């Protein structure tokens, strides 16, 4: 690799081959820019986090001819059934959403990663290097130098995009201040072979003892998420089955449970999204509660905007500081909207106790899931109105 400032090793170095870094690399493929994706792990993770892909994200994937490959592998969720204290309080239906994808597509994150990684091979100007942990980013005039933890030669790029997740080491190195909010809510999730008979529908059970959420996955699998009273360090065997039966009256077979994990939602807001030629994108730039399923989708729209801006910034046809300022303002606004929405949904959904639960039933069944409000809820859930990352 060439450390000389006059000849960078690549136009754009993307740090992190998570869903956002890989999508950005794919979107940059047709631009002809020389792109390197640097990923510390030798193999993709085997456990799934994100499952919900929204219509705007499918539109972004469609722009590089990838939407069909996702749609044939995923499950189209068209209805979310909401259950209250004693009965179903309403349905949030995506069937009337405008556009080609009136549904939320359910696909495990590892399959999203695999599709995006395979598609990279169609772009000869884009390469993914695994086993490269970026330890240092240093401005060098109109380039940035990257150093690694491994004994690998340093390299240079015109721009570095930090897609290295919510704990972003690059963000820490740049000393960009962040505000972290812990919500004090705790969840356990597990995937089961599906014998519920709920087909391709999602179900939310809001009960006085806590929430239960249930989403179909491809391959006859269903994800169950249960709210827990506190953080669990050890998940007792059969825990999810017991809670689902107590709260939703549904009997799951513990022998068909495929995995489990816990999560304790938190939010992260950054004071800035760039320093010089190093730009934050995806979870490195914002994190939000997974309840509501928006983090990856907001990151996809960040990637879309950067893919529009970077060719001009690299080729010197755009005003770099103006473009970066616009990126920062637009994407911080989008993250704020999505994170507020996720927090509001989680707040309402995690009320416990009988009176709060009856009140929630009235709010949901009597107002939010009725008539025009129901359509608005569907549109908000599907993130139709979260600001998109296109450079106008
Ligand atoms: C339980 C759960 C459910 C979720 N469900 C949804 C959902 O349904 N829909 C949704 O939109 N979002 C969901 N999310 C959020 C979603 O998982 C994240 O928003 C998404 O993974 C962010 O992608 P990313 O590429 O920005 O970061 P990450 O996925 O965190 O990827 C970062 C990558 O960078 C690599 N890396 C880190 N540091 C370095 C380094 N120094 N050098 C090289 N490589 C490095 C890591 O190894 C990793 O591969 C969920 C999250 C959780 C926890």
């Amino acid at each position: 690799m060439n450390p000389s400032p006059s000849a960078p090793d690549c136009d754009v170095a993307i740090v992190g081959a998570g869903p956002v870094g890989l999508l950005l690399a794919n979107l940059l493929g047709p631009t002809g820019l020389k792109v390197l994706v640097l990923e510390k792990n030798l193999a993709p993770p085997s456990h799934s986090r994100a499952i919900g892909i929204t219509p705007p994200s499918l539109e972004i994937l469609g722009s590089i001819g990838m939407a069909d490959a996702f749609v044939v592998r995923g499950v189209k969720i068209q209805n979310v059934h909401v259950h209250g204290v004693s009965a179903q309080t309403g349905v949030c239906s995506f069937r009337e959403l405008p556009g080609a994808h009136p549904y939320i597509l359910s696909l495990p994150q590892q399959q999203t990663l695999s599709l995006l990684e395979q598609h990279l091979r169609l772009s000869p100007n884009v390469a993914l290097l695994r086993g490269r942990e970026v330890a240092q980013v240093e401005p060098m005039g109109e380039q940035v130098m990257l150093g690694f933890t491994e004994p690998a030669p340093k390299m240079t790029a015109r721009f570095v995009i930090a897609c290295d997740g919510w704990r972003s080491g690059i963000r820490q190195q740049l000393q960009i201040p962040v505000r972290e909010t812990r919500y004090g809510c705790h969840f356990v999730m597990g995937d089961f072979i599906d014998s519920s008979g709920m087909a391709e529908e999602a179900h939310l059970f809001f009960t006085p003892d806590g929430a239960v959420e249930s989403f179909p996955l491809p391959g006859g699998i269903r994800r169950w998420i249960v709210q827990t009273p506190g953080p669990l360090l050890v998940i007792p065997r059969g825990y999810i089955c017991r809670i689902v039966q107590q709260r939703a009256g549904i009997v799951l077979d513990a022998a068909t449970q495929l995995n489990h994990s816990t999560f304790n939602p938190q939010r992260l807001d950054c004071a800035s999204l760039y320093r010089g030629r190093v730009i934050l994108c995806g979870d490195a730039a914002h994190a939000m509660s997974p309840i509501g399923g928006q983090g990856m989708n907001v990151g996809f729209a960040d990637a879309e905007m950067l893919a529009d801006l970077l060719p001009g910034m690299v080729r010197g046809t755009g005003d770099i500081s103006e473009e970066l300022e616009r990126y920062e303002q637009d994407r911080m606004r989008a993250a704020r909207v999505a994170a507020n929405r996720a927090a509001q949904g989680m707040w309402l959904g995690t009320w416990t106790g009988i009176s709060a639960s009856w009140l929630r039933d009235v709010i949901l069944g009597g107002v939010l899931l009725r008539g025009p409000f129901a359509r608005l809820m569907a549109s908000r859930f599907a993130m139709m109105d979260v600001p998109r990352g296109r450079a106008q």
Side-chain angles (χ1 to χ4, degrees):
M1 297 292 174
N2 187 348
S4 146
S6 56
D9 295 303
C10 61
D11 295 313
V12 179
I14 298 172
V15 182
V20 175
L22 288 177
L23 176 69
L24 176 60
N26 275 293
L27 291 169
L28 288 173
T31 66
L33 295 182
K34 188 173 178 201
V35 178
L36 287 178
V37 185
L38 307 160
E39 166 59 47
K40 66 178 177 184
N41 290 329
L42 292 172
S46 57
H47 188 52
S48 162
R49 291 194 283 161
I51 54 171
I53 303 178
T54 57
S57 291
L58 288 167
E59 212 179 280
I60 297 172
L61 291 163
S63 72
I64 44 169
M66 290 199 72
D68 290 349
F70 276 75
V71 171
V72 295
R73 285 168 180 80
V75 175
K76 295 175 184 171
I77 301 179
Q78 293 196 307
N79 293 312
V80 180
H81 299 264
V82 181
H83 306 265
V85 176
S86 60
Q88 180 162 317
T89 48
V91 179
C92 178
S93 177
F94 305 118
R95 287 173 189 274
E96 290 178 27
L97 291 179
H101 305 288
Y103 47 82
I104 305 277
L105 191 76
S106 168
L107 190 73
Q109 189 163 325
Q110 67 269 42
Q111 289 191 42
T112 293
L113 290 170
S114 160
L115 284 170
L116 289 169
E117 191 168 334
Q118 280 169 36
H119 197 79
L120 275 189
R121 294 184 199 127
L122 301 181
S123 301
N125 50 315
V126 179
L128 165 63
L129 303 180
R130 288 195 170 275
R132 293 291 178 90
E133 180 168 2
V134 175
Q136 182 198 3
V137 285
E138 211 175 293
M140 274 178 47
E142 295 192 345
Q143 297 178 22
V144 183
M145 193 182 67
L146 296 116
F148 301 94
T149 49
E150 304 79 19
K154 294 187 171 178
M155 62 169 63
T156 50
R158 291 191 200 282
F159 289 91
V160 172
I161 317 300
C163 296
D164 54 342
W166 74 279
R167 290 180 208 269
S168 173
I170 295 190
R171 187 186 65 227
Q172 287 170 34
Q173 224 191 92
L174 299 175
Q175 299 188 336
I176 293 180
V178 292
R179 194 178 63 231
E180 276 188 66
T181 313
R182 287 174 197 276
Y183 290 111
C185 300
H186 312 280
F187 298 86
V188 174
M189 70 179 191
D191 298 338
F192 290 71
I193 294 171
D194 190 12
S195 55
S196 67
M198 291 170 166
E200 302 198 337
E201 313 275 273
H203 288 258
L204 308 179
F205 300 86
F206 296 130
T207 81
D209 296 323
V212 170
E213 304 194 351
S214 174
F215 302 97
L217 290 167
I221 298 180
R222 181 165 278 272
R223 174 164 294 181
W224 291 88
I225 303 174
V226 301
Q227 181 187 354
T228 60
L232 285 191
L233 297 177
V234 179
I235 307 167
R237 205 177 141 65
Y239 181 81
I240 296 178
C241 301
R242 202 167 59 248
I243 299 288
V244 169
Q245 186 165 7
Q246 275 167 9
R247 295 184 193 163
I250 293 167
V251 179
L252 301 179
D253 179 357
T256 66
Q257 185 168 352
L258 304 171
N259 55 40
H260 62 236
S261 59
T262 60
F263 62 96
N264 307 300
Q266 45 186 305
R267 173 172 176 169
L268 190 139
D269 295 281
C270 294
S272 171
L273 297 193
Y274 68 93
R275 281 272 189 283
R277 288 171 169 249
V278 185
I279 307 166
L280 307 182
C281 183
D283 272 18
H286 42 68
M288 57 201 72
S289 168
I291 298 293
Q294 318 222 346
M296 181 179 75
N297 290 294
V298 178
F300 279 3
D302 297 348
E304 181 189 41
M305 184 168 191
L306 275 183
D308 271 1
L309 295 176
L310 279 165
M313 298 200 313
V314 166
R315 295 182 178 124
T317 54
D319 179 327
I320 293 177
S321 42
E322 230 173 66
E323 306 283 49
L324 287 175
E325 201 51 37
R326 192 148 57 96
Y327 171 77
E328 177 174 283
Q329 280 177 16
D330 282 16
R331 300 320 300 155
M332 277 174 140
R333 189 161 61 92
R336 247 190 333 266
V337 171
N340 286 343
R341 196 166 291 174
Q344 285 156 10
M346 192 178 60
W347 176 68
L348 186 63
T350 53
W351 288 355
T352 50
I354 193 72
S355 354
S357 298
W358 279 114
L359 177 61
R360 176 175 48 219
D361 282 8
V362 171
I363 296 171
L364 286 172
V367 186
L368 295 181
L369 295 174
R370 275 186 175 270
F373 274 118
R375 280 192 289 281
L376 183 68
M377 286 292 282
S379 166
R380 296 185 83 185
F381 212 158
M383 294 178 70
M384 303 300 282
D385 57 341
V386 171
R388 240 335 237 296
R390 276 176 296 215
Q392 304 299 332

